[in-house]
Amino acid sequence: MLRSIEAAPAHEGRCDPVTLEIVRGAVRAAQSEMEALIERTAISAFIREKKDFYTGLFDADGVMAVGSNVPIFGDITSPVFRDFPPETMRAGDLYWYNDCYGSRGAVSHSNDQVLLAPVFRGGRLCAFVMAWAHFADIGGLRAGSISPDATDIFQEGIIVPPTKLIDGGRTNEAALAIFHRNSRFPAQSLGDMRALMASVDLGVRRVGEILDRFGPDVVADALAQLLARTRDRVREKLAATFAYGTHRFTDAIDSDGHGGGPYRMRFSLTRAQAEDGEDRFVFDATETDDQAPGPVNFLMNPGVPGMALGLYYLGGDPAQVCNAGGPQALDEVRLREGSLLWPRFPAPLGMRGLTMMRVLAGLNGLVNVAGGGAPAAHSAYVIILMRGTSRTEAGEPEPFLLSDGIGVGYGARPHADGIDAVYFVAQENYPVEFLETGYPVRLRAYGIVTDSGGAGRHRGGCGIVRDYEILADEAVLALRIDGVENPPWGIGGGMAGGVGRAVVNAGTPQERVLAPLSDGNRLKRGDTLRIETGGGGGHGHPFDRPAEAVLQDVLGGYVSVGAAARLYGVMIRDGALDETATRIARAARPEIRAFHRHEYVDALV
């Protein structure tokens, strides 16, 4: 006979090991249910189809206890606490903001809306729940609120400081009306906000049920234990990776779209012994280049480096949870005001995603120069915003906004190839059927870009090619592609990943190549737009890749016959491996150095 498993009774408010795992599973389940509700009820494509949303649970002090596996979280709660102290809160309250500078980068571009609600039991503040999503349009210079043309954050849409959206159960409808009025697509904005509000309401109820079952003291102790477990685990891994001293790594993005660039991010991590004998880990990005005129600045909350390193070290361990233990593992994070990673207000931030992606690759590089086994660099996901007017079935003109984020190749790992065609973490590429049903485009091609993955013992992941046929009478395109001048680096003999590009009417007399970071690109009915995205860097010497694996790559369309011979020393004739010719070719083994970007180098500077 089956019976439910009840948690063992806790003593004096302590959470025993069995109960801890039950609580961990319960809060993760609550988080997953919140995210499922957003996915199923949101209106805009970037939330519903792309899944650009996150949820989290915080303890009574506002410390993240359970979050999504996304390495861009900062300190979410402090911006609200500054204006609304926790002791003034009550059940039924809901708080809202998207203010990047006011939140010190807790959100790092204005499209992201944060909702935060307290959870009470017996009059006691016990926890907070949060939902966050990217809204399609919040006003600003161009539809979509993101444009390479932006030169200040006011051109990127309405800014919402921490605001009490619901006061004891009563909604501030005027504030919502002002917000939705600033959107070119208010019905989407309204629907997405309702989805976020419903998700937070569900989270409050589910966390309340957990508190009812186990009691506030046990839950508080469980969250504290999970936090300490993550922090201790990450510090152990940092100590195993980083010897005493200072370790440095530099990476770069190409441009800001306004003539500036490249912009270099210079990182160091120092491990020292404090007076009490404990290790002290200090992350420093103060030598990063100055901020950009264009919207590639990344207002990086000080919690981000620790969150990213924490997620790397947790490595999908199901016994761990993503929480503030990662940021707490670093003793200090140093940033310089006026730099690309801590710009001064009101510098534009809308396209901070490409800088954020290069930051994450740079952290991998920092781990690697210390002797760790992080992946090679990945490409930055590509964004296009196509704006225009199409005709309804009744022949009436109707504005449209196609915001499409397109996946790229990720870097090879020390033990495996890189991942092909990934957008970002758990977010997804739009299906063809959805694009053709929802927008005036037809997909003529959708597949892998051959030879885009960096060659190596383990091949870098490949990027994506999409060919859009334009069915609208006219459209204007904004484009974001990075890593053309500074492609994703390979490591240990692995070669750099391939670069992306955008071409209108490829292969015709009307062919034109678009600037990789640009806006105002005009398209008309019948034009084709080809987007090719970049690949990830390779890992290990290409001649060490088994010849049979290279053959399978060729047969699968990942590597061309010419690249197999030129980069891997593998000779393929008529779809079969020429073992004798391969053996001769591989006898002349090219020399390698630590990193590869255009050529082999000992360090990227």
Side-chain angles (χ1 to χ4, degrees), residues 309-333:
L309 288 168
L311 285 171
Y312 165 70
Y313 283 126
L314 296 179
D317 182 350
Q320 302 286 349
V321 294
C322 167
N323 58 33
Q328 290 181 3
L330 295 176
D331 296 282
E332 186 180 357
V333 172

Side-chain angles (χ1 to χ4, degrees), residues 45 62 101 124 265 353 355 379 424 457 489 534 545:
Y101 287 96
R124 172 180 170 181
M265 289 151 280
T355 307
S379 283
F424 184 57
R457 166 67 180 84
W489 42 267
R545 187 169 180 83

Side-chain angles (χ1 to χ4, degrees), residues 192-234:
D192 291 343
M193 186 61 76
R194 286 175 173 172
L196 271 194
M197 293 171 71
S199 174
V200 171
D201 181 68
L202 175 64
V204 169
R205 286 187 280 117
R206 291 293 181 260
V207 173
E209 292 165 0
I210 296 169
L211 291 165
D212 288 340
R213 179 180 179 187
F214 298 101
D217 290 335
V218 172
V219 172
D221 186 63
L223 298 182
Q225 288 190 50
L226 291 173
L227 187 68
R229 187 160 78 183
T230 299
R231 181 180 61 248
D232 293 346
R233 177 68 168 168
V234 174

Side-chain angles (χ1 to χ4, degrees), residues 263-274:
Y263 292 92
R264 291 177 176 83
M265 289 151 280
R266 298 179 178 91
F267 300 149
S268 71
L269 195 145
T270 299
R271 179 187 177 192
Q273 196 169 66

Side-chain angles (χ1 to χ4, degrees), residues 227-529:
L227 187 68
R229 187 160 78 183
T230 299
R231 181 180 61 248
D232 293 346
R233 177 68 168 168
V234 174
R235 285 185 68 86
E236 289 172 4
K237 291 286 190 177
L238 286 169
T241 302
F242 292 91
Y244 288 105
T246 299
H247 309 264
R248 302 179 185 278
F249 190 80
T250 299
D251 212 336
I253 62 170
D254 292 345
S255 165
D256 69 339
H258 292 254
Y263 292 92
R264 291 177 176 83
M265 289 151 280
R266 298 179 178 91
F267 300 149
S268 71
L269 195 145
T270 299
R271 179 187 177 192
Q273 196 169 66
E275 292 182 0
D276 60 4
E278 293 294 319
D279 280 343
R280 179 173 170 80
F281 297 97
V282 178
F283 176 84
D284 192 311
T286 57
E287 295 182 5
T288 290
D289 284 351
D290 290 345
Q291 68 188 60
V296 299
N297 302 291
F298 177 29
L299 187 64
M300 185 173 74
N301 187 273
V304 168
M307 184 65 73
L309 288 168
L311 285 171
Y312 165 70
Y313 283 126
L314 296 179
D317 182 350
Q320 302 286 349
V321 294
C322 167
N323 58 33
Q328 290 181 3
L330 295 176
D331 296 282
E332 186 180 357
V333 172
R334 298 173 182 168
L335 303 168
R336 178 176 62 86
E337 187 178 12
S339 73
L340 187 73
L341 301 181
W342 195 252
R344 291 187 178 94
F345 179 82
L349 307 172
M351 292 197 156
R352 64 43 172 149
L354 64 86
T355 307
M356 176 193 73
M357 292 294 284
R358 194 54 53 218
V359 165
L360 300 179
L363 291 171
N364 283 348
L366 197 58
V367 169
N368 280 321
V369 297
H378 49 263
S379 283
Y381 54 84
V382 170
I383 296 288
I384 66 168
L385 295 106
M386 191 184 301
R387 324 168 183 102
T389 301
S390 62
R391 297 280 174 178
T392 66
E393 291 184 359
E396 296 296 324
E398 181 179 58
F400 74 92
L401 169 65
L402 168 55
S403 300
D404 194 0
I406 310 174
V408 294
Y410 271 55
R413 296 155 284 180
H415 58 280
D417 292 347
I419 305 172
D420 305 305
V422 176
Y423 179 67
F424 184 57
V425 190
Q427 297 169 8
E428 299 180 1
N429 297 299
Y430 286 155
V432 172
E433 297 83 356
F434 166 74
L435 280 170
E436 295 188 343
T437 301
Y439 301 99
V441 297
R442 181 177 294 118
L443 266 292
R444 292 299 191 182
Y446 180 28
I448 290 293
V449 180
T450 302
D451 292 336
S452 56
R457 166 67 180 84
H458 299 292
R459 174 181 55 77
C462 288
I464 288 174
V465 57
R466 281 194 195 268
D467 276 5
Y468 306 79
E469 180 185 351
I470 308 305
L471 303 181
D473 292 334
E474 190 175 53
V476 176
L477 178 75
L479 176 68
R480 191 201 85 187
I481 299 176
D482 186 57
V484 178
E485 301 298 326
N486 297 276
W489 42 267
I491 188 170
M495 304 184 77
V499 303
R501 66 177 191 145
V503 185
V504 178
N505 299 323
T508 74
Q510 291 76 41
E511 177 177 306
R512 55 191 169 105
V513 179
L514 303 182
L517 193 60
S518 60
D519 205 340
N521 300 293
R522 295 201 168 272
L523 304 170
K524 64 181 185 301
R525 179 185 289 273
D527 283 345
T528 60
L529 171 66

Side-chain angles (χ1 to χ4, degrees), residues 74-223:
D75 179 3
I76 294 289
T77 56
S78 288
V80 173
F81 293 172
R82 183 186 61 236
D83 297 332
F84 302 95
E87 59 269 20
T88 67
M89 297 178 178
R90 56 180 175 163
D93 287 351
L94 179 65
Y95 301 88
W96 167 35
Y97 68 87
N98 77 338
D99 189 340
C100 302
Y101 287 96
S103 69
R104 299 178 72 242
V107 288
S108 50
H109 70 180
S110 299
N111 292 73
D112 293 334
Q113 310 301 312
V114 171
L115 297 186
L116 181 76
V119 183
F120 288 83
R121 271 303 175 269
R124 172 180 170 181
L125 177 58
C126 298
F128 294 87
V129 295
M130 178 273 293
W132 165 2
H134 177 108
F135 278 47
D137 182 87
I138 60 168
L141 183 67
R142 303 273 190 272
S145 311
I146 296 175
S147 170
D149 289 346
T151 55
D152 66 48
I153 197 168
F154 295 107
Q155 297 171 347
E156 297 175 340
I158 186 170
I159 299 172
V160 181
T163 300
K164 185 181 283 190
L165 181 57
I166 300 180
D167 187 354
R170 189 170 192 173
T171 303
N172 187 339
E173 297 290 353
L176 285 175
I178 293 169
F179 179 72
H180 298 319
R181 179 62 173 163
N182 276 270
S183 176
R184 297 170 179 86
F185 300 90
Q188 287 188 15
S189 177
L190 176 64
D192 291 343
M193 186 61 76
R194 286 175 173 172
L196 271 194
M197 293 171 71
S199 174
V200 171
D201 181 68
L202 175 64
V204 169
R205 286 187 280 117
R206 291 293 181 260
V207 173
E209 292 165 0
I210 296 169
L211 291 165
D212 288 340
R213 179 180 179 187
F214 298 101
D217 290 335
V218 172
V219 172
D221 186 63
L223 298 182

